[in-house]
Amino acid sequence: MTATPHGPHDGVFDVAVIGGGIVGAAIARELSGCDVSVALLEARGDVGDGTSKANTAILHTGFDAKPGTLESRLVARGYQLLSAYAKATGIPVEHTGAVLVAWNDEELAALPALKEKAEANGYAHGRIIDADEIYRVLPDLGEGALGGLTVPDESIICTWTTNLALATDARQRGTTILLDHAVTGVDQDDETTVLHTPAGEVRTRWVVNAAGLGADHIDRLLGHDRFTVTPRRGELFVFDKLTRPMVDKIVLPVPTSRGKGVLISPTIYGNVMLGPTAEDLTDRTDTATSEDGFDFLLSKGERLMPRLLAEEVTASYAGLRAAIDHPDYLIEATPEQRYLLVGGIRSTGLTAGIAIAEHARTLLEAAGLTLRTRSDLPDPPRMPNLGEASPRPYQDADLIARDPAYGTVVCFCERVTEGEIRDACHATLPARSLEGLRRRTRAMNGRCQGFFCGAAVAALHAQHQTHDGCASQHKDHR
C-alpha cells in the first residue's frame, strides 16, 4: 500500500530529504508532486538558514561552467526553470546583464576562449567588446580596463525568497517539514532507514542527502567515504542604496580555478554588493567577517570602482560554500541502500536547484522508487515582493485602502510595513525568529541594521508569532 502524500504510512515516510536549503527544498517540492510521502529535515530552526541565505544571489546562465559536466547541464536547465518559476511565484528577478572585465593582457587574451566555452555550453549571446564600450556601459569603472565579454542574460534574484518559495510549495504539496532535526545517526534494515535526531527518530524508506556543508558527514553515517567538504568562506560588502546608479550591471572578473572571483553587483533590494572573498576554513560554522577579508575587498574595490569605496557600507556579511575535492556535482544513487547523495553543489545551486531536483527524481526512479505524478497539485505559492523593481506594499494605495496595516511603516530604511511583518508571522512557513523575519520582509536589513526599528519589529514579532505550521512538527515518526 502506498502512503498518501500528506503523511507517513504506519509512521514511515517514503522519502526523507536531509537539508532545507534551496537544493533540498527543491527536491522535496519535486517529490511531493508525486504519490509519495516526503519529510524535509533541517538541522537549524528555519529553512534556508545555512549556505543558501548568504551568496551573491546571481541567476547564472552557466556560460562559464566546464562544458560537458553535470553542473553545466543542470545550471543551463535550472536557469530556464527558475526563471519560469520566479514569474509564477513572484520571486523578484532583474535581468541586468553582466560584463566580464579584463584588466591585463593575459585576461584580455582569455576572452575568446571564454566566449567559445559559453557557446559550448549552449550560450551564444556573449559579445567581446573593447575598452571604449566598457566605459560607455560602466562609466564609474576604475581606470585600466582593456576589454570585456558581455553576458546579457545574467540576472540578479532574491535567494531568500527562492528558498522560501520552494519550501512553501513543498509544504503545500504535503511535505512534512521538520526543523531542528540534525541527523546524528543512521540505522538501516532491509526495508527502513531510521534517522536519529535530537528531536526524535524519523523513519523512512528512501533517503536523499542534500545537507550541503554536512553532506559528507551524512554520507559517512551511511557507510561511504566519497568526498570531504571544505567550508569556503566568502565575505561581502553591501553598499548604501545611493550607490545603485553607479552599477546597473554585474561586473565580473575573469574566473580562476578557485572560483568566479570578486565581483560588483546590484542587488534586488536596491543596494550594491562587492565580493566575495574565498578562504578555506576548517570550522563549518565560522561565518564571522575578518580584518583580512575587509582589507582584501577594499583593495579589490579600489581597482574595480574607486568611487564606490567613497560611499557608505550598509552591511558586511560572510557565507560558507561547500567546496569539495571533486570537479563536478556529486549526485549518485546507491539503490541497495535506497539512498541518493546530492553533494558538492557549490554556489551555482541557487540557479540549478530545480533542475537538480528533476535529475534527482530521474535517478531515484532508476534506483527503484516508484514516482507517479499527482493530478491534484495546488497552485504554486505567490510570494511577497522584496524587490525594488516592482511596487512594494507601502506604495500600493488600493492595498492600503483595504488593509491600513500595509500603510504603517515599521522599518523605515527598507520601507517594511506592519502588514508584511504580520503576514510573515502567519505564513505557511512562519518567521520563528527575528533573522527569519529579516529574510521574509527585509526588516532591519537597511542602513540602521535594526538600531531604530529593532524594538518595534521585535514587539510585532512577539505579538504575531505563531506556534502552528512547521514548528509544531517536532515529534518522533516511529
Side-chain angles (χ1 to χ4, degrees):
M1 178 179 177
T2 302
T4 73
H6 303 294
H9 176 62
D10 293 336
V12 181
F13 289 98
D14 291 313
V15 187
V17 180
I18 303 172
I22 285 172
V23 173
I27 293 171
R29 170 188 172 269
E30 176 72 24
L31 297 180
S32 58
C34 303
D35 192 23
V36 291
S37 59
V38 180
L40 178 63
L41 282 68
E42 167 54 43
R44 298 173 182 248
D46 196 4
V47 296
D49 193 33
T51 298
S52 294
K53 74 179 179 184
N55 56 47
T56 51
I58 294 176
L59 180 57
H60 289 295
T61 58
F63 79 96
D64 59 346
K66 184 177 180 180
T69 60
L70 181 62
E71 180 178 18
S72 69
R73 176 166 68 84
L74 294 183
V75 171
R77 172 69 173 157
Y79 180 91
Q80 302 300 325
L81 291 174
L82 183 51
S83 295
Y85 190 68
K87 288 181 180 178
T89 58
I91 298 168
V93 173
E94 289 185 48
H95 300 290
T96 60
V99 180
L100 196 78
V101 179
W103 294 95
N104 56 48
D105 291 336
E106 182 180 358
E107 292 177 353
L108 187 66
L111 294 181
L114 286 167
K115 185 173 183 291
E116 291 175 6
K117 176 190 276 191
E119 291 166 352
N121 283 319
Y123 186 77
H125 299 161
R127 186 167 60 89
I128 294 176
I129 60 176
D130 62 17
D132 288 341
E133 187 165 354
I134 281 182
Y135 286 106
R136 278 198 295 274
V137 298
L138 293 166
D140 290 299
L141 203 64
E143 295 181 359
L146 302 180
L149 174 66
T150 67
V151 192
D153 299 297
E154 292 280 288
S155 305
I156 57 176
I157 191 169
C158 180
T159 185
W160 298 337
T161 309
T162 301
N163 205 145
L164 189 61
L166 291 166
T168 299
D169 208 352
R171 175 70 189 283
Q172 292 182 171
R173 290 177 170 199
T175 293
T176 299
I177 296 183
L178 301 170
L179 303 177
D180 298 314
H181 275 65
V183 176
T184 57
V186 177
D187 290 319
Q188 287 189 304
D189 59 29
D190 291 341
E191 296 184 356
T192 306
T193 298
V194 179
L195 304 175
H196 299 279
T197 84
E201 294 178 353
V202 178
R203 295 176 177 268
T204 184
R205 293 177 178 82
W206 291 77
V207 174
V208 177
N209 174 7
L213 287 164
D216 56 341
H217 290 334
I218 302 297
D219 200 47
R220 290 188 179 96
L221 290 175
L222 283 146
H224 302 273
D225 190 13
R226 286 181 270 196
F227 68 109
T228 298
V229 169
T230 299
R232 182 165 292 163
R233 181 168 62 186
E235 299 180 50
L236 302 105
F237 284 152
V238 179
F239 288 86
D240 188 81
K241 296 183 193 327
L242 294 174
T243 63
R244 179 63 185 267
M246 295 185 198
V247 185
D248 62 357
K249 296 187 183 304
I250 305 163
V251 182
L252 297 172
V254 175
T256 69
S257 60
R258 284 187 60 79
K260 299 181 186 295
V262 173
L263 56 85
I264 296 176
S265 175
T267 76
I268 282 293
Y269 321 114
N271 302 91
V272 170
M273 180 174 57
L274 170 68
T277 60
E279 178 186 6
D280 288 348
L281 306 174
T282 56
D283 184 350
R284 302 187 189 210
T285 64
D286 188 359
T287 55
T289 53
S290 67
E291 184 176 350
D292 288 345
F294 284 4
D295 288 344
F296 178 80
L297 290 177
L298 290 171
S299 66
K300 288 290 186 180
E302 185 65 36
R303 172 72 183 275
L304 292 170
M305 192 170 287
R307 273 197 61 201
L308 183 63
L309 296 188
E311 302 295 331
E312 293 184 10
V313 173
T314 293
S316 60
Y317 68 93
L320 297 175
R321 289 108 75 190
I324 70 167
D325 45 355
H326 187 77
D328 199 358
Y329 288 173
L330 187 54
I331 306 178
E332 296 180 358
T334 309
E336 62 273 19
Q337 285 185 293
R338 305 174 306 281
Y339 169 50
L340 177 68
L341 166 66
V342 182
I345 304 303
R346 298 183 289 274
S347 61
T348 52
L350 167 58
T351 300
I354 301 178
I356 291 170
E358 274 191 344
H359 184 60
R361 174 177 175 168
T362 299
L363 293 181
L364 287 167
E365 288 183 298
L369 176 60
T370 300
L371 293 170
R372 292 184 291 271
T373 300
R374 293 164 52 196
S375 60
D376 61 342
L377 292 179
D379 292 334
R382 191 70 187 173
M383 305 304 293
N385 172 43
L386 300 190
E388 287 295 296
S390 300
R392 301 264 309 286
Y394 79 93
Q395 298 168 310
D396 189 334
D398 291 339
L399 179 63
I400 294 167
R402 293 193 302 270
D403 187 343
Y406 294 111
T408 304
V409 174
V410 180
C411 171
F412 287 88
C413 295
E414 297 297 298
R415 302 294 194 268
V416 180
T417 66
E418 183 178 323
E420 292 169 275
I421 292 172
R422 176 200 62 203
D423 293 349
C425 293
H426 294 277
T428 300
L429 297 180
R432 302 172 68 236
S433 67
L434 291 180
E435 281 303 305
L437 192 61
R438 183 194 295 262
R439 292 194 297 275
R440 286 161 173 80
T441 67
R442 283 173 46 182
M444 306 179 297
N445 209 47
R447 264 190 171 194
C448 81
Q449 290 289 290
F451 180 82
F452 179 79
C453 66
V457 171
L460 281 170
H461 180 257
Q463 175 185 337
H464 290 291
Q465 190 171 22
T466 178
H467 296 286
D468 61 5
C470 60
S472 70
Q473 299 185 49
H474 295 222
K475 56 186 178 183
D476 287 4
H477 291 275
R478 287 180 280 191

